[in-house]
Amino acid sequence: MSDTTALDAAKIDIRRWTREEQSARAVYGSRTLYTPSVLAEAVDLLSKLYAAGQEHHLDREDWAAVTSLPVGVLDALAARYCSRVELTGTERHAVRNTLIGELGARGLTVRPGERVAVEPLPDGPRFGYRGQASVSLALTSGGWDIRIDEAVSGAPHPIAAPATEDGAREVAELVRKILSGEAPNPFAALAVKEAGA
């Protein structure tokens, strides 16, 4: 397997597994959302694992017979980005200010607070029990997360993104896409469960 072939295979597999993860984890519990830089890192790592395996005469199918390297790569990166965040107060403040500024620059209405609340767009998906809730974001020692801004919203969804100002820009763009309907609604399964309750 050439480096190009390994890279192409890695792109396909990461894309496939993130789509399947969106479906499965939405039904079975909290799912991780990934920013583009983390997905690019996953593709790079997976392609190197595929290429290393090829040196030992292990094809992609050989790996699939015993484990899921794409899921392992995604889980490992999620574990790194969604835990052990250590920022100084000054760094945390700068990242939070960048997030607020980037959300505003994308035309989103923001309510700063302990969690940064972002109002839904008029023509976008509806969130929450009555379909009128905002979403809220936070950067904690457990990394970035997003949830419906209601008391009954349940556990937040982790976002695998760097705890940096660049990461804040990526999170802001991800939120814009969720609110506009360009990205899958991470709360869709929760809305179905609530409707059936």
Side-chain angles (χ1 to χ4, degrees):
M1 182 181 284
S2 70
D3 288 345
T4 303
T5 306
L7 182 60
D8 290 341
K11 286 178 185 176
I12 291 166
D13 287 350
I14 291 297
R15 208 173 301 126
R16 186 177 114 225
W17 283 103
T18 51
R19 270 192 226 113
E20 288 183 15
E21 179 175 290
Q22 287 173 353
S23 299
R25 290 197 182 172
V27 172
Y28 298 112
S30 182
R31 68 180 175 123
T32 303
L33 305 174
Y34 299 89
T35 58
S37 67
V38 175
L39 289 175
E41 187 176 353
V43 166
D44 181 54
L45 176 56
L46 184 59
S47 69
K48 289 175 181 172
L49 290 171
Y50 283 158
Q54 187 62 36
E55 290 178 19
H56 297 275
H57 308 289
L58 291 172
D59 291 324
R60 187 171 155 206
E61 296 77 22
D62 297 326
W63 289 110
V66 295
T67 191
S68 175
L69 282 182
V71 171
V73 165
L74 289 167
D75 285 349
L77 290 175
R80 182 176 72 195
Y81 286 109
C82 298
S83 64
R84 303 181 314 263
V85 172
E86 295 179 19
L87 296 174
T88 66
T90 303
E91 291 168 331
R92 189 175 303 278
H93 188 69
V95 171
R96 186 174 177 279
N97 284 345
T98 298
L99 175 67
I100 292 167
E102 290 293 323
L103 290 165
R106 287 167 172 76
L108 301 172
T109 303
V110 179
R111 284 182 287 121
E114 188 174 322
R115 295 184 63 87
V116 176
V118 187
E119 297 293 328
L121 295 172
D123 297 331
R126 301 286 104 202
F127 306 103
Y129 183 69
R130 295 188 180 156
Q132 301 170 343
S134 303
V135 298
S136 69
L137 303 157
L139 176 59
T140 68
S141 60
W144 292 100
D145 70 53
I146 185 171
R147 71 174 188 178
I148 297 173
D149 197 29
E150 291 183 325
V152 296
S153 68
H157 295 287
I159 301 173
T164 63
E165 291 181 51
D166 285 341
R169 289 180 188 89
E170 286 192 281
V171 169
E173 181 59 14
L174 176 63
V175 170
R176 184 200 65 76
K177 287 181 175 182
I178 290 169
L179 293 177
S180 69
E182 292 175 45
N185 178 350
F187 313 110
L190 181 59
V192 170
K193 288 178 188 174
E194 287 176 350

